[in-house]
Amino acid sequence: MLIVQKYGGTSVGSIERIEAVADRIARTVRAGHQVAVVVSAMGHTTDELVRLAHAIDPDPDGREMDALLSTGEQVSAALVAMALHKRGLGARSFTGWQAGIHTERVHGAARMLNIETKALREALEQGVIPVITGFQGIAGDDVTTLGRGGSDTTAVAVAAVLKADVCEIYTDVTGVFTTDPRVVPNARKLTEVSYDEMLELANLGAQVLHPRAVENAKQFEVKLVVRSSFTEEEGTYVVETPVAFEKRNVVTGIAFEREVARIALVGVPLNRHGLASVFGTLAERNVNVDVIVQSVVQQAGVDVSFTVKEEDSDRALRILRDLQSDLGYRDLVRENGLAKVSIVGAGMISNPGVAAHMFRVLADDDIAIKMVSTSEIKVSCIIAARDVERAVKVLHEAFIEKE
């Protein structure tokens, strides 16, 4: 078998952890498998590099920021390769450009265009373990990064182009749980979860996998497994259709996201291009908009509310203020201190009344709902941040523990 193994920051967070990772890779190779490895930066290295950059300039140049942040993974890759050498195994560290990972020329949030596999295939054919830096690639002569969590995306892409039998994502948790065990201690680990459910959970705040990684795994039919690098416990498989699908709970998991802000544009004139201008401009400036609610107030205009991450709210306000003369809205309002809680489950498609039950559960616990967003397999509610853990607990009890 050809296996791609990805190790996150906590898995390579110290010399002791790197030694443990090397032992695991060595066991896999000695069991007769070929292995390609993708690594993140050690521990909180990326956060520290960001801190250093912002100490120089609160708004640093994107090219130089990518040049700086990409160094974290290079340290991990070289150290893991050294640890494998010590165990008598052939290994070679590869930066993103050495691994042939080509991206858009977008700094900080680049998307991969293609991977030239020649160098990686030659290494594998020679019995050498490629240890690849996650999170990065190259556009022309410039180093680019894929955004936070991008090492998961790198691993899935490498698995896809190499046609690996499985892509193993090693982290500090033993798999995908029905919700965060730190909030609900009796949360259950899932044996399997569908690509669609995992994509919703990842987009809605579950941090065990990056959404783009799940999206690519589904598109290229990469078999994923999430497991801990700290134990030998079996993990969670991400598959197209879980076994015994119809016997599973209607709701598979509860996700939540803190630090949400709501922005409201009041009295936007009714014309064909107003909303397109608002959300088009925000997208061009890389402000990710989540829940959107529009209400017609009168013939003269509409009120539009939407949510963004709190860290993006200042930038969103600046952009919208610059557009006021073009848009002609009357007022601009921001509300911080919000959170999003979501229920996710493929079983919701064939079970009506799930959203109503969610609203009832929250109302019974005096948790006010400010905005709602739905899809076939999820319902999300924007609530006060102070209520989020209580909401997760009562929803988990209602939808997971009682089913």
Side-chain angles (χ1 to χ4, degrees):
M1 286 177 64
L2 172 56
I3 301 172
V4 172
Q5 295 183 342
K6 180 263 177 177
Y7 293 94
T10 54
S11 298
V12 293
S14 67
I15 295 302
E16 291 75 20
R17 290 309 311 154
I18 287 173
E19 297 279 16
V21 161
D23 285 336
R24 187 181 291 269
I25 296 168
R27 288 196 298 273
T28 308
V29 171
R30 287 167 183 153
H33 304 299
Q34 286 184 306
V35 181
V37 178
V38 175
V39 293
S40 298
M42 294 176 67
H44 298 288
T45 297
T46 303
D47 292 332
E48 177 60 18
L49 292 173
V50 170
R51 188 192 67 77
L52 290 172
H54 288 168
I56 297 291
D57 183 351
D59 187 21
D61 177 78
R63 180 186 183 278
E64 302 311 324
M65 196 67 173
D66 277 359
L68 174 67
L69 297 184
S70 64
T71 63
E73 281 71 19
Q74 292 179 43
V75 172
S76 299
L79 290 174
V80 169
M82 291 176 191
L84 292 170
H85 294 162
K86 187 170 75 171
R87 286 157 177 78
L89 297 172
R92 187 181 308 149
S93 63
F94 286 79
T95 62
W97 71 266
Q98 289 171 326
I101 300 172
H102 295 272
T103 76
E104 305 168 319
R105 193 182 290 275
V106 175
H107 291 293
R111 287 185 173 270
M112 283 179 280
L113 299 174
N114 68 290
I115 300 179
E116 296 174 2
T117 60
K118 181 181 177 183
L120 297 179
R121 291 189 185 281
E122 286 180 351
L124 289 167
E125 288 167 4
Q126 294 165 8
V128 172
I129 302 166
V131 184
I132 305 157
T133 55
F135 171 69
Q136 63 189 256
I138 190 167
D141 295 330
D142 288 344
V143 172
T144 55
T145 63
L146 310 180
R148 298 302 290 265
S151 292
D152 287 350
T153 309
T154 302
V156 170
V158 168
V161 297
L162 293 179
K163 301 190 183 321
D165 295 282
V166 65
C167 179
E168 299 177 338
I169 305 293
Y170 285 93
T171 180
D172 57 355
V173 295
T174 56
V176 180
F177 284 75
T178 50
T179 195
D180 189 335
R182 292 170 296 186
V183 175
V184 181
N186 59 338
R188 305 172 191 167
K189 187 176 74 176
L190 301 168
T191 303
E192 292 180 311
V193 62
S194 71
Y195 290 122
D196 289 338
E197 290 171 323
M198 190 66 245
L199 184 56
E200 288 284 14
L201 288 168
N203 273 317
L204 295 168
Q207 298 179 358
V208 67
L209 276 174
H210 194 275
R212 278 164 60 188
V214 183
E215 183 181 352
N216 289 335
K218 177 179 172 64
Q219 180 179 353
F220 296 104
E221 299 180 339
V222 174
K223 186 177 182 180
L224 281 179
V225 58
V226 180
R227 55 167 52 114
S228 172
S229 64
F230 294 80
T231 72
E232 296 299 321
E233 188 176 332
E234 275 297 313
T236 299
Y237 284 84
V238 186
V239 296
E240 183 63 41
T241 305
V243 176
F245 185 78
E246 291 190 350
K247 296 180 181 178
R248 300 166 70 229
N249 286 355
V250 173
V251 172
T252 299
I254 317 290
F256 62 95
E257 183 179 351
R258 306 178 197 268
E259 297 179 354
V260 172
R262 182 181 71 92
I263 294 176
L265 286 167
V266 180
V268 181
L270 289 170
N271 65 64
R272 291 181 298 168
H273 303 295
L275 295 183
S277 178
V278 169
F279 296 111
T281 305
L282 290 171
E284 288 170 5
R285 306 282 185 88
N286 291 316
V287 175
N288 187 39
V289 173
D290 189 11
V291 180
I292 303 173
V293 174
Q294 173 184 311
S295 58
V296 177
V297 178
Q298 53 188 1
Q299 286 299 104
V302 299
D303 291 350
V304 181
S305 297
F306 60 89
T307 62
V308 297
K309 295 181 184 296
E310 276 192 357
E311 64 186 27
D312 292 333
S313 64
D314 285 340
R315 189 152 50 98
L317 287 177
R318 287 196 298 271
I319 292 167
L320 293 171
R321 287 186 184 118
D322 290 342
L323 290 173
Q324 183 167 17
S325 59
D326 294 331
L327 295 175
Y329 61 81
R330 290 199 314 274
D331 198 8
L332 180 61
V333 180
R334 172 174 57 179
E335 182 182 8
N336 285 336
L338 302 177
K340 179 172 65 175
V341 62
S342 309
I343 57 173
V344 176
M348 293 166 60
I349 297 173
S350 56
N351 286 271
V354 177
H357 185 33
M358 178 185 190
F359 302 154
R360 192 177 308 115
V361 168
L362 293 176
D364 288 346
D365 214 60
D366 294 323
I367 297 172
I369 298 171
K370 295 174 179 286
M371 300 173 74
V372 175
S373 174
T374 66
S375 74
E376 283 189 323
I377 64 169
K378 65 97 172 172
V379 182
S380 296
C381 295
I382 302 301
I383 61 176
R386 64 178 178 274
D387 295 330
V388 66
E389 292 197 6
R390 189 155 51 94
V392 171
K393 290 173 183 175
V394 296
L395 291 170
H396 192 273
E397 181 181 4
F399 285 102
I400 306 292
E401 296 170 32
K402 288 187 177 179
E403 288 195 17

